[in-house]
Amino acid sequence: MTSRETILSKLHAARQPFAGLPPAGDMIPVVPAEDTGPAALRARFIAAAEALSCTVTACPDADAAIRHILGLVGTDSTILSWDLKHVPLPGLGAALAGAGIAIAAAGDASVRAGLTGVDAALAATGSLLLASGPGKPRGASLLPEVHIAVVAAGQIVPDLETWLAAQRAAGLEHLRQLNSVVMISGPSRTADIAMETVMGVHGPGALQIVLVGES
Amino acid sequence: MDVKARDFIPAAQVALSDPALRAAVKRATDTAAKKRLATMFWAGRAHGEALRQQAAQARRRALRDLPALLEQAEAAMTANGIQVLWAADGDEVRRLVLDIAARHEVRRAVKSKSMISEEVALNHALQAHDIDVLETDLGEFIVQLSGETPSHIVTPVIHKSKETIRDLFVRELDMPPTDDAEAMTQFARGHLRRAFLEADMGISGGNFIIAETGALCLVTNEGNGRMVTSLPRVHVALVGIEKVIATVEDYATLTQILPRSSTGQTMTVYTQMIHGPRAADEDGPEHVYVILVDNGRSDIYPTDYAEALACIRCGACLNACPVYEATGGHAYGWVYSGPIGAVITPLLTGLENASPLPHASSLCGLCKEVCPVDIDLPRMLLDLRRDLDEAGHTPPVWKWGIRGWAMVARSPRLFGLAARAAGLGGRFLPPRPPLPPPLNGWTRTRDLPEFAPKSFRQLWAERQKAGKRDD
Ligand code: SF4
């Protein structure tokens, strides 16, 4: 018998534990919220992200957001980046080119700043949800010291529960196509040395969230 | 990892006589416990409690349906492009990982935290086959450099002071001396970054596997989990068979309650769902393997200890435990420490190899109260004591003592006499007397309380005689 068969047959033969459990019923969200209107969501997302030591900069429109991003990149000549069609800022490509900023090859670990969009933002916990895919390299949000994430206000959802409910509604097949899904909640951190919190252990030590649009 | 749990008492004595260790552990566990309270119950007791029960049920339903869910998870992962393997024991885990390493010509491996790899001493096996393996969780990295073992399942170097870590980095890595935790961390970042970029294989654990989607779920704060699962060509995850859960909804509850209980964070910084290897036009590993590891778990499954398999390794019971706080993790002598260690070490490694552990508890009950999945640890500790006794592992003095007590307590006359004798005898003892052996172990570290001159029974009888005047 293979180990697979041995293990499974042992488990199947066993008296079933917890046989009397009720079926899964309605579930309560981990973070209860009353108001899920766009303005409330936006305010909760900003507060939660700031509590995680992210810097959130609200920009009324794409032009303001682009100016802010150019400021963050500063004098660097290269950045890591998602394909700009996945970053909701029309005009960003031209602006970067105009400022002489080139996009480095994915995986270049010598670059200081990484630019991404997000697939969703979770208001309850201030988390950014990023899925991998063509034009959306994982390294852009992982390798650099600074991660600049562009969030359109309309991408904010209440919480992980809501996002997963939408995935279920769309058929979980789609979710399964996303080879890597990561929820990023603040800069990389550790407290392993004498319980002192230090940012930027392996991932970015700074997370700059550029929030575009009113809601 | 060798099991040294039989030496709990001498090892605990060493720890107890190390004030620096005790202070470090106390500070760390107190902080974690406070943060846990703040994030678990921020929306009130009732909500936090309901959430705990929701998580407890999700884990128990998953265990109830374990064999079916494992088959479902295997099918889903396979369809996603993950290669699923099964390992009955440590030997097989090591063999499978070495096979994968050979197949992909792996010379260098990086690891994020995996408790199973500690169970099966994977690093030794890899090194014996000339494969470099580097721990990348900062705490585990420090543990590896110093040739120690982790002393806490979440914060592995909870027992080490900053100065010890500084000296270690200076000695082993030529770090320019500094007492700044941030500078030390940055130094380690540089060292480990090179290793990530050069590694051929990443080895991780797994916090959950979602059966319906075939997702391997991981959480890390430092980002090493993402590095290990993104940069090398090959990713191998070692996951206990008990880690499977049914639905994405259960995942939402469990992956959020875990950091709340563990470090008091609302979310771990990097919370990942991995569905498969990279597609042709994206970055990521070319091959993803998940090894489903039994290593004693299927023996626990049919017993009254099945509940122990619900554990999500948050560490809250360690942080709450007065025994863990006094001894730290190393005294427990194997991978898992604290109350959950006292339960699963005997179950996974054999009662005879860990006989002192079920006694390493005051049964205060706090471990159950803080457990995010409501595992009845005190009940299992008591049952294990019974099993130990039935298997002949209780020290004879304890047995005689308990038998003597039982005889006296069963007879009202004897009980009354004994109580009176204690009260009378107490008058003739010097203050703070040591007890004679074998009871002197108790008075070595504690004062024997003075016996009241009259026992409760005497007082009660006198009251009854006096005719309950003042009722
Ligand atoms: S037994 Fe409960 S409290 Fe202890 S580590 Fe496991 S889940 Fe956490």
Side-chain angles (χ1 to χ4, degrees), chain A residues 3-4 10 15-17 21 27-31 132-134 138-139 141 143 161 168 172 175-176 178-179 181 183-186 188-190 192 194 196 200-203, chain B residues 27 47 54 61 64 74 76 80 92 136 139 162 181 186 189 193 212-213 221-222 224 226-227 249 256 260 267 269 271-273 275 277 282-283 298-299 301-302 304:
Chain A
S3 292
R4 176 186 187 277
K10 223 161 131 187
R15 168 189 60 142
Q16 197 177 39
L21 274 178
M27 297 177 88
I28 56 166
V30 174
V31 182
S132 69
R138 307 164 203 217
S141 60
L143 295 169
E161 287 88 334
R168 184 176 290 291
L172 291 173
L175 174 62
R176 293 175 58 182
L178 309 173
N179 291 321
V181 176
M183 285 161 269
I184 301 176
S185 307
S188 155
R189 67 163 70 207
T190 186
D192 274 343
E196 287 181 32
V201 199
H202 296 304
Chain B
R27 198 163 67 94
H47 176 258
Q54 183 163 297
R61 276 196 311 273
R64 180 190 64 194
E74 180 189 37
N80 293 348
E92 196 166 10
T136 62
K162 196 161 52 170
Q186 284 311 313
R189 174 185 167 113
R193 179 56 73 94
E212 64 174 337
T213 53
N221 275 316
E222 299 178 358
N224 59 322
R226 286 193 73 199
M227 295 277 184
E249 287 79 11
Q256 293 186 84
R260 283 171 195 266
M267 279 283 251
V269 176
T271 301
Q272 293 176 264
M273 280 190 274
H275 291 108
E282 61 174 338
D283 60 346
S298 64
D299 293 329
Y301 186 68
D304 289 341

Coordinates of all heavy atoms in Angstrom, one line a residue, chain A residues 3-4 10 15-17 21 27-31 132-134 138-139 141 143 161 168 172 175-176 178-179 181 183-186 188-190 192 194 196 200-203, chain B residues 27 47 54 61 64 74 76 80 92 136 139 162 181 186 189 193 212-213 221-222 224 226-227 249 256 260 267 269 271-273 275 277 282-283 298-299 301-302 304:
Chain A
S3 N 1.7 5.2 1.0 CA 1.4 6.0 2.2 C 0.0 6.7 2.1 O -0.7 6.8 3.1 CB 2.5 7.0 2.5 OG 3.7 6.3 2.8
R4 N -0.3 7.1 0.9 CA -1.6 7.8 0.7 C -2.7 6.8 1.1 O -3.6 7.2 1.8 CB -1.7 8.2 -0.8 CG -3.0 8.8 -1.2 CD -3.1 9.0 -2.7 NE -4.3 9.7 -3.0 CZ -5.5 9.1 -3.1 NH1 -5.6 7.8 -3.0 NH2 -6.6 9.8 -3.4
K10 N -6.8 4.5 7.1 CA -6.9 4.6 8.5 C -7.9 5.6 9.0 O -8.7 5.4 9.9 CB -5.5 5.0 9.0 CG -5.0 4.3 10.2 CD -3.5 4.5 10.3 CE -3.0 4.9 11.7 NZ -1.6 5.3 11.7
R15 N -13.5 5.9 13.9 CA -14.8 6.5 14.4 C -14.7 8.0 14.1 O -13.7 8.6 14.4 CB -14.9 6.2 15.9 CG -16.0 6.9 16.6 CD -15.8 6.7 18.1 NE -14.5 7.2 18.6 CZ -14.3 7.9 19.7 NH1 -15.3 8.1 20.5 NH2 -13.1 8.3 20.1
Q16 N -15.8 8.5 13.5 CA -15.8 9.9 13.1 C -15.8 10.8 14.4 O -16.8 10.7 15.2 CB -16.9 10.2 12.2 CG -16.8 11.5 11.4 CD -18.0 11.6 10.5 OE1 -19.1 11.3 10.9 NE2 -17.7 12.1 9.3
P17 N -14.8 11.7 14.5 CA -14.9 12.6 15.7 C -15.9 13.7 15.4 O -16.2 14.0 14.3 CB -13.5 13.2 15.8 CG -12.9 13.1 14.4 CD -13.6 11.9 13.7
L21 N -21.8 17.7 15.3 CA -21.8 19.1 15.0 C -22.9 19.6 14.1 O -23.3 18.9 13.2 CB -20.5 19.4 14.3 CG -19.2 19.7 15.1 CD1 -18.1 19.9 14.1 CD2 -19.4 20.9 16.0
M27 N -22.5 33.0 9.0 CA -21.3 33.3 9.7 C -21.2 34.8 10.0 O -21.7 35.6 9.3 CB -20.1 32.9 8.9 CG -20.0 31.4 8.7 SD -18.7 30.8 7.7 CE -17.4 30.6 9.0
I28 N -20.7 35.1 11.2 CA -20.5 36.5 11.5 C -19.2 37.0 11.0 O -18.2 36.2 11.0 CB -20.6 36.8 13.0 CG1 -19.5 36.0 13.8 CG2 -22.0 36.6 13.6 CD1 -19.4 36.4 15.2
P29 N -19.1 38.2 10.5 CA -17.8 38.7 10.0 C -16.8 39.0 11.2 O -17.3 39.3 12.3 CB -18.1 40.0 9.3 CG -19.4 40.5 9.9 CD -20.1 39.2 10.4
V30 N -15.5 38.8 10.9 CA -14.6 39.0 12.0 C -14.6 40.5 12.4 O -14.4 40.8 13.6 CB -13.2 38.6 11.4 CG1 -12.1 39.0 12.5 CG2 -13.1 37.1 11.1
V31 N -14.8 41.4 11.5 CA -14.9 42.8 11.8 C -16.3 43.3 11.5 O -16.6 43.6 10.3 CB -13.8 43.6 11.1 CG1 -13.9 45.1 11.5 CG2 -12.4 43.1 11.3
S132 N -1.5 37.5 -8.6 CA -0.4 37.5 -9.6 C -1.1 37.3 -10.9 O -2.3 36.9 -11.0 CB 0.5 36.3 -9.3 OG -0.2 35.1 -9.5
G133 N -0.3 37.4 -12.0 CA -0.9 37.2 -13.3 C 0.1 37.9 -14.3 O 1.0 38.5 -13.9
P134 N -0.2 37.7 -15.6 CA 0.6 38.3 -16.7 C 0.6 39.9 -16.4 O -0.5 40.5 -16.2 CB -0.1 38.0 -18.0 CG -1.0 36.8 -17.6 CD -1.3 36.9 -16.2
R138 N 5.0 39.4 -9.0 CA 5.0 39.4 -7.5 C 6.1 40.2 -6.9 O 6.0 40.8 -5.9 CB 5.1 38.0 -7.0 CG 4.2 37.0 -7.6 CD 4.6 35.5 -7.4 NE 4.0 34.7 -8.4 CZ 3.5 33.5 -8.2 NH1 3.7 32.9 -7.1 NH2 3.0 32.8 -9.2
G139 N 7.2 40.2 -7.6 CA 8.4 40.9 -7.1 C 8.2 42.4 -6.9 O 8.9 43.0 -6.0
S141 N 6.0 44.1 -5.5 CA 5.5 44.4 -4.1 C 6.3 43.8 -3.1 O 5.9 43.9 -1.9 CB 4.0 44.0 -4.0 OG 3.9 42.6 -4.2
L143 N 10.3 42.9 -3.5 CA 11.7 43.1 -3.5 C 12.2 44.5 -3.1 O 13.2 44.6 -2.3 CB 12.3 42.7 -4.9 CG 12.1 41.2 -5.3 CD1 12.5 41.1 -6.8 CD2 13.0 40.3 -4.4
E161 N -14.2 38.8 3.9 CA -15.4 38.0 3.8 C -16.2 38.4 2.5 O -16.7 37.6 1.7 CB -16.3 38.1 5.0 CG -15.8 37.4 6.2 CD -14.9 38.2 7.1 OE1 -14.2 39.1 6.6 OE2 -14.8 37.9 8.3
R168 N -17.1 33.7 -4.8 CA -18.0 32.5 -4.8 C -19.1 32.8 -5.8 O -19.5 31.9 -6.6 CB -18.5 32.2 -3.4 CG -19.4 30.9 -3.5 CD -20.0 30.4 -2.2 NE -19.0 29.9 -1.2 CZ -18.3 28.8 -1.4 NH1 -18.5 28.0 -2.5 NH2 -17.5 28.3 -0.5
L172 N -15.9 29.8 -8.1 CA -14.5 29.8 -7.5 C -13.5 29.4 -8.5 O -12.3 29.6 -8.2 CB -14.5 28.8 -6.3 CG -15.3 29.3 -5.1 CD1 -15.4 28.2 -4.0 CD2 -14.7 30.6 -4.5
L175 N -11.1 32.3 -9.1 CA -10.1 32.4 -8.0 C -8.9 31.5 -8.1 O -7.8 31.8 -7.9 CB -10.8 32.2 -6.6 CG -10.0 32.2 -5.3 CD1 -9.3 33.6 -5.1 CD2 -10.8 31.9 -4.1
R176 N -9.3 30.2 -8.5 CA -8.3 29.2 -8.6 C -7.3 29.4 -9.7 O -6.2 28.8 -9.7 CB -8.9 27.8 -8.8 CG -9.7 27.4 -7.5 CD -10.5 26.1 -7.7 NE -9.6 25.0 -8.1 CZ -10.1 23.8 -8.4 NH1 -11.4 23.6 -8.3 NH2 -9.2 22.8 -8.7
L178 N -5.9 32.2 -10.2 CA -4.9 33.2 -9.7 C -3.8 32.4 -8.9 O -4.1 32.0 -7.8 CB -5.6 34.3 -8.8 CG -6.8 34.9 -9.4 CD1 -7.5 35.8 -8.4 CD2 -6.4 35.7 -10.6
N179 N -2.7 32.3 -9.5 CA -1.7 31.4 -8.9 C -1.2 31.9 -7.5 O -0.9 31.1 -6.6 CB -0.5 31.1 -9.8 CG -1.0 30.3 -11.0 OD1 -1.8 29.4 -10.8 ND2 -0.5 30.7 -12.2
V181 N -2.3 34.7 -4.5 CA -3.1 35.9 -4.0 C -2.5 36.2 -2.7 O -2.2 35.4 -1.8 CB -4.6 35.4 -3.8 CG1 -5.3 36.6 -3.1 CG2 -5.2 35.0 -5.1
M183 N -2.6 39.1 0.6 CA -3.2 40.3 1.2 C -2.0 40.9 2.0 O -1.4 40.2 2.8 CB -4.3 39.9 2.2 CG -5.6 39.6 1.4 SD -6.7 38.6 2.4 CE -6.2 36.9 2.0
I184 N -1.7 42.2 1.7 CA -0.6 42.8 2.3 C -1.1 43.8 3.3 O -1.9 44.7 3.0 CB 0.2 43.6 1.3 CG1 0.8 42.6 0.2 CG2 1.4 44.4 1.9 CD1 1.6 43.3 -0.9
S185 N -0.7 43.6 4.6 CA -1.3 44.5 5.7 C -0.1 45.2 6.3 O 0.4 44.8 7.3 CB -2.0 43.7 6.7 OG -3.0 42.9 6.0
G186 N 0.3 46.3 5.7 CA 1.4 47.1 6.2 C 2.8 46.7 5.7 O 2.9 45.7 5.0
S188 N 6.6 45.1 5.8 CA 7.2 43.9 6.3 C 7.7 44.2 7.7 O 8.2 45.3 8.0 CB 8.4 43.5 5.4 OG 9.4 42.8 6.1
R189 N 7.4 43.3 8.7 CA 7.9 43.6 10.1 C 8.3 42.4 10.8 O 7.9 41.3 10.5 CB 6.7 44.4 10.8 CG 5.5 43.5 11.1 CD 4.7 44.1 12.1 NE 4.0 45.3 11.7 CZ 3.6 46.3 12.5 NH1 3.9 46.2 13.8 NH2 3.0 47.3 12.1
T190 N 9.0 42.6 11.9 CA 9.4 41.6 12.8 C 9.5 42.2 14.2 O 9.6 43.4 14.4 CB 10.8 41.0 12.5 OG1 11.0 39.8 13.3 CG2 11.9 42.0 12.7
D192 N 11.2 39.9 16.4 CA 12.0 38.7 16.9 C 13.1 39.1 17.8 O 13.5 38.3 18.6 CB 12.5 37.9 15.7 CG 11.5 36.9 15.2 OD1 10.5 36.6 16.0 OD2 11.6 36.3 14.1
A194 N 14.3 40.8 20.7 CA 13.9 41.5 22.0 C 12.6 42.2 21.9 O 12.3 43.2 22.6 CB 15.0 42.5 22.4
E196 N 11.3 44.1 19.9 CA 11.3 45.5 19.3 C 10.8 45.4 17.9 O 11.3 44.6 17.1 CB 12.7 46.1 19.3 CG 13.1 46.5 20.7 CD 14.5 47.1 20.7 OE1 14.9 47.8 19.7 OE2 15.3 46.9 21.7
G200 N 10.6 46.3 7.6 CA 11.5 46.1 6.4 C 12.5 45.0 6.6 O 13.7 45.1 6.4
V201 N 12.0 43.8 7.1 CA 12.9 42.7 7.3 C 13.3 42.1 5.9 O 14.4 42.1 5.5 CB 12.3 41.6 8.1 CG1 13.3 40.7 8.7 CG2 11.4 42.1 9.2
H202 N 12.3 41.5 5.2 CA 12.6 40.9 3.9 C 11.8 41.7 2.8 O 12.3 41.9 1.7 CB 12.2 39.5 3.9 CG 13.0 38.6 4.8 ND1 14.4 38.6 4.7 CD2 12.6 37.8 5.8 CE1 14.8 37.8 5.7 NE2 13.8 37.3 6.4
G203 N 10.6 42.1 3.1 CA 9.8 42.8 2.2 C 10.0 44.3 2.4 O 10.9 44.7 3.1
Chain B
R27 N 8.2 39.0 29.9 CA 7.9 40.2 29.2 C 7.2 39.9 27.9 O 6.2 40.5 27.5 CB 9.2 41.0 29.0 CG 9.0 42.5 28.7 CD 10.3 43.2 28.8 NE 11.3 42.8 27.9 CZ 11.5 43.4 26.7 NH1 10.7 44.5 26.4 NH2 12.4 43.0 25.9
H47 N -19.0 39.3 20.9 CA -18.5 39.1 19.5 C -17.3 38.3 19.5 O -17.2 37.3 18.7 CB -18.3 40.5 18.9 CG -17.7 40.4 17.5 ND1 -16.4 40.5 17.2 CD2 -18.3 40.0 16.3 CE1 -16.2 40.3 15.9 NE2 -17.4 40.0 15.4
Q54 N -17.2 30.1 16.3 CA -17.2 29.9 14.8 C -16.0 29.3 14.3 O -16.0 28.4 13.5 CB -17.4 31.3 14.2 CG -17.6 31.3 12.7 CD -18.2 32.7 12.2 OE1 -19.3 33.0 12.6 NE2 -17.4 33.4 11.4
R61 N -15.5 20.7 12.2 CA -16.2 20.2 11.0 C -15.1 19.6 10.1 O -15.3 18.6 9.5 CB -17.1 21.2 10.4 CG -18.4 21.4 11.0 CD -19.4 22.1 10.0 NE -18.8 23.3 9.5 CZ -18.8 24.5 10.1 NH1 -19.5 24.6 11.2 NH2 -18.2 25.5 9.6
R64 N -14.0 16.4 11.4 CA -15.0 15.4 11.2 C -14.9 14.7 9.8 O -15.0 13.6 9.7 CB -16.4 16.0 11.5 CG -17.6 15.0 11.3 CD -18.9 15.8 11.3 NE -19.0 16.7 10.1 CZ -19.9 17.6 10.0 NH1 -20.8 17.9 10.9 NH2 -19.9 18.4 8.9
E74 N -6.7 17.2 -2.4 CA -5.7 16.6 -3.3 C -6.2 16.8 -4.8 O -5.4 17.2 -5.6 CB -5.5 15.1 -3.0 CG -4.5 14.5 -3.9 CD -4.5 12.9 -3.8 OE1 -5.6 12.3 -3.6 OE2 -3.4 12.3 -3.8
A76 N -8.3 19.0 -6.0 CA -8.3 20.4 -6.4 C -6.9 20.9 -6.6 O -6.6 21.6 -7.6 CB -9.0 21.3 -5.3
N80 N -5.1 22.3 -10.0 CA -4.5 23.6 -10.1 C -3.0 23.5 -10.6 O -2.4 24.6 -10.8 CB -4.4 24.3 -8.7 CG -5.8 24.6 -8.2 OD1 -6.8 24.6 -9.0 ND2 -5.9 25.0 -6.9
E92 N 9.9 9.3 5.5 CA 9.4 9.5 4.1 C 9.4 11.0 3.7 O 9.7 11.3 2.6 CB 7.9 9.0 4.1 CG 7.5 8.8 2.6 CD 6.2 7.9 2.5 OE1 5.6 7.6 3.5 OE2 5.8 7.6 1.4
T136 N 15.0 31.4 7.1 CA 14.9 32.8 6.7 C 14.0 33.7 7.6 O 14.0 34.9 7.5 CB 14.4 33.0 5.3 OG1 13.1 32.4 5.2 CG2 15.3 32.3 4.3
G139 N 13.9 35.0 13.4 CA 14.0 34.2 14.7 C 14.6 32.8 14.4 O 15.5 32.4 15.1
K162 N 18.9 40.8 23.3 CA 19.5 41.5 22.2 C 21.0 41.4 22.2 O 21.6 41.2 21.1 CB 19.1 43.0 22.3 CG 19.3 43.7 21.0 CD 18.5 45.0 20.9 CE 18.6 46.0 22.1 NZ 18.1 47.3 21.8
A181 N 18.4 47.2 17.3 CA 17.7 46.1 16.7 C 17.4 46.3 15.3 O 17.5 45.4 14.4 CB 16.4 45.9 17.5
Q186 N 18.6 44.9 9.6 CA 19.0 45.3 8.3 C 20.2 44.5 7.8 O 20.3 44.1 6.7 CB 19.3 46.8 8.2 CG 18.1 47.7 8.2 CD 17.1 47.3 7.2 OE1 17.4 47.0 6.0 NE2 15.8 47.2 7.6
R189 N 18.9 41.2 6.8 CA 18.2 41.3 5.6 C 19.1 41.2 4.4 O 18.9 40.4 3.4 CB 17.5 42.7 5.5 CG 16.8 43.0 4.1 CD 16.2 44.4 4.1 NE 15.8 44.8 2.7 CZ 14.6 45.0 2.3 NH1 13.6 44.8 3.1 NH2 14.3 45.3 1.0
R193 N 19.0 38.2 1.8 CA 18.5 38.6 0.5 C 19.3 37.9 -0.6 O 18.8 37.3 -1.6 CB 18.6 40.1 0.3 CG 18.2 40.7 -1.0 CD 16.8 40.3 -1.4 NE 15.7 40.9 -0.7 CZ 15.1 42.0 -1.1 NH1 15.5 42.6 -2.3 NH2 14.1 42.5 -0.4
E212 N -11.9 23.1 -1.1 CA -12.7 23.3 -2.2 C -12.0 24.0 -3.3 O -12.3 23.9 -4.5 CB -14.0 24.0 -1.9 CG -13.8 25.4 -1.3 CD -15.2 26.1 -1.1 OE1 -16.2 25.8 -1.8 OE2 -15.2 27.1 -0.3
T213 N -10.9 24.8 -3.0 CA -10.2 25.5 -4.0 C -8.8 25.0 -4.2 O -8.1 25.4 -5.2 CB -10.1 27.0 -3.7 OG1 -9.5 27.2 -2.4 CG2 -11.4 27.7 -3.8
N221 N 5.0 37.6 8.6 CA 5.1 39.0 8.9 C 6.2 39.6 8.1 O 6.2 40.8 7.8 CB 5.2 39.3 10.3 CG 3.8 39.4 11.0 OD1 2.9 40.0 10.4 ND2 3.7 38.8 12.1
E222 N 7.3 38.9 8.0 CA 8.5 39.4 7.5 C 8.6 39.5 6.0 O 9.3 40.3 5.4 CB 9.7 38.6 8.0 CG 9.8 38.6 9.6 CD 10.9 37.7 10.1 OE1 11.6 37.1 9.3 OE2 11.1 37.7 11.3
N224 N 9.3 36.7 4.4 CA 10.1 35.5 3.9 C 9.3 34.4 3.3 O 9.7 33.8 2.4 CB 11.0 35.0 5.1 CG 10.2 34.6 6.3 OD1 9.2 35.2 6.6 ND2 10.6 33.5 6.9
R226 N 6.7 34.9 1.4 CA 6.6 35.3 0.0 C 7.8 35.0 -0.8 O 7.8 34.6 -2.0 CB 6.2 36.7 -0.2 CG 4.7 37.0 0.3 CD 4.3 38.4 -0.2 NE 4.1 38.5 -1.6 CZ 4.1 39.6 -2.3 NH1 4.3 40.8 -1.7 NH2 3.9 39.6 -3.6
M227 N 9.0 35.4 -0.2 CA 10.2 35.2 -0.9 C 10.4 33.7 -1.3 O 10.7 33.3 -2.4 CB 11.4 35.6 0.0 CG 11.4 37.0 0.3 SD 12.2 37.9 -1.1 CE 12.3 39.6 -0.4
E249 N -15.0 30.4 3.2 CA -15.6 31.2 4.3 C -14.9 30.8 5.6 O -14.7 31.6 6.5 CB -17.1 30.9 4.4 CG -18.0 31.5 3.3 CD -17.9 30.8 2.0 OE1 -17.4 29.7 1.9 OE2 -18.4 31.4 0.9
Q256 N -8.1 35.1 9.9 CA -8.1 36.4 10.7 C -8.1 36.2 12.2 O -7.5 37.1 12.9 CB -9.4 37.2 10.3 CG -9.3 37.7 8.8 CD -10.5 38.6 8.5 OE1 -10.4 39.8 8.7 NE2 -11.5 38.0 7.9
R260 N -4.9 37.5 15.4 CA -5.5 38.1 16.6 C -5.1 37.4 17.8 O -4.7 38.0 18.9 CB -7.0 38.2 16.5 CG -7.5 39.3 15.5 CD -9.0 39.2 15.2 NE -9.2 40.1 14.0 CZ -9.6 41.4 14.1 NH1 -9.8 41.9 15.3 NH2 -9.7 42.1 13.0
M267 N -4.4 41.4 11.0 CA -4.0 40.5 9.9 C -2.5 40.4 10.0 O -1.8 41.3 10.4 CB -4.3 41.2 8.6 CG -5.7 41.1 8.1 SD -6.2 39.5 7.5 CE -6.3 39.8 5.7
V269 N 1.0 40.4 8.2 CA 1.4 41.3 7.1 C 1.2 40.7 5.7 O 0.6 41.3 4.8 CB 2.8 41.8 7.3 CG1 3.2 42.7 6.1 CG2 3.0 42.6 8.5
T271 N -0.5 37.6 4.0 CA -1.5 36.5 4.1 C -1.7 35.9 2.7 O -2.3 36.6 1.8 CB -2.8 37.0 4.7 OG1 -2.5 37.5 6.0 CG2 -3.8 35.9 4.9
Q272 N -1.2 34.7 2.4 CA -1.1 34.2 1.0 C -2.0 33.1 0.8 O -2.2 32.2 1.6 CB 0.3 33.7 0.7 CG 1.4 34.7 0.7 CD 2.7 34.0 0.4 OE1 3.4 33.8 1.4 NE2 3.0 33.7 -0.8
M273 N -2.6 33.0 -0.4 CA -3.3 31.8 -0.9 C -2.5 31.5 -2.2 O -2.5 32.3 -3.2 CB -4.7 32.1 -1.3 CG -5.7 32.1 -0.2 SD -7.4 32.2 -0.8 CE -7.6 33.9 -0.9
H275 N -2.3 29.0 -5.4 CA -3.1 28.0 -6.1 C -2.3 27.2 -7.0 O -2.8 26.1 -7.5 CB -4.2 28.8 -6.8 CG -5.3 29.4 -5.9 ND1 -5.4 30.7 -5.8 CD2 -6.2 28.8 -5.1 CE1 -6.4 30.9 -4.9 NE2 -6.9 29.8 -4.5
P277 N 1.7 26.7 -9.5 CA 3.0 27.3 -10.0 C 2.7 28.4 -11.0 O 1.6 28.6 -11.4 CB 3.7 26.1 -10.7 CG 2.5 25.1 -11.1 CD 1.5 25.3 -10.1
E282 N 4.2 34.7 -16.3 CA 4.3 35.5 -15.0 C 5.5 35.0 -14.2 O 6.1 34.0 -14.6 CB 3.0 35.3 -14.2 CG 2.7 33.9 -13.8 CD 1.5 33.8 -12.8 OE1 1.2 34.7 -12.1 OE2 0.9 32.7 -12.8
D283 N 5.8 35.7 -13.1 CA 6.9 35.2 -12.3 C 6.4 34.2 -11.2 O 5.2 34.1 -11.1 CB 7.7 36.4 -11.7 CG 6.8 37.3 -10.8 OD1 5.6 37.1 -10.8 OD2 7.4 38.1 -10.0
S298 N -2.6 10.5 12.3 CA -3.7 9.5 12.1 C -3.9 8.6 13.3 O -4.9 8.0 13.4 CB -3.5 8.7 10.8 OG -2.4 7.9 10.9
D299 N -2.8 8.5 14.1 CA -3.0 7.7 15.4 C -3.8 8.5 16.4 O -4.5 7.9 17.2 CB -1.7 7.3 16.0 CG -0.9 6.4 15.1 OD1 -1.5 5.6 14.4 OD2 0.4 6.4 15.1
Y301 N -6.2 10.7 15.6 CA -7.5 10.9 15.0 C -8.6 10.1 15.6 O -9.7 10.7 16.0 CB -7.4 10.8 13.5 CG -8.7 11.1 12.8 CD1 -9.1 12.5 12.7 CD2 -9.5 10.2 12.2 CE1 -10.3 12.8 12.0 CE2 -10.6 10.5 11.5 CZ -11.0 11.9 11.4 OH -12.2 12.2 10.8
P302 N -8.5 8.8 15.8 CA -9.6 8.0 16.3 C -9.7 8.1 17.8 O -10.6 7.4 18.4 CB -9.3 6.6 15.9 CG -7.9 6.5 15.4 CD -7.3 7.9 15.4
D304 N -9.8 10.0 21.9 CA -10.5 11.1 22.5 C -9.6 12.4 22.5 O -10.0 13.4 23.0 CB -10.8 10.8 24.0 CG -11.9 9.8 24.0 OD1 -12.7 9.7 23.0 OD2 -12.1 9.1 25.1

